[in-house]
Amino acid sequence: IGQTYQIQSDYKNALVAYLRVEALYSGEKEWGAAATFESAKCYDALGKPDEATAALKTVVSQYKDTRWAKLAADRLK
């Protein structure tokens, strides 16, 4: 759902969808990492760089054993 909103440039609703994934599926590391990573992109698109950076740092620290952690670390550079 979040990706659909994101493709439509509806970043606010995409962000809400991604935050739901984080809340509802916290036990699923890959899903949580992906949703948090994508929420960072939404924050960027909404002009909220501090929130985007915080989301990326969360991916790096809380989901370090996922492929999303490397992507987030690269984006932080």
Side-chain angles (χ1 to χ4, degrees):
I1 295 171
Q3 288 177 331
T4 301
Y5 283 126
Q6 210 170 356
I7 290 167
Q8 297 170 348
S9 298
D10 185 351
Y11 301 109
K12 192 174 184 178
N13 280 320
L15 184 59
V16 170
Y18 290 131
L19 293 175
R20 282 186 186 144
V21 170
E22 292 175 48
L24 295 175
Y25 303 100
S26 60
E28 298 292 332
K29 283 193 153 199
E30 286 292 326
W31 290 10
T36 306
F37 181 82
E38 292 299 327
S39 71
K41 291 182 186 178
C42 293
Y43 282 125
D44 268 340
L46 292 169
K48 298 181 176 188
D50 293 339
E51 288 88 342
T53 300
L56 292 171
K57 287 180 178 179
T58 297
V59 175
V60 171
S61 65
Q62 291 185 7
Y63 301 105
K64 56 185 147 207
D65 57 341
T66 68
R67 68 184 182 101
W68 300 98
K70 181 179 178 349
L71 294 171
D74 289 345
R75 197 167 172 108
L76 283 168
K77 292 179 184 176

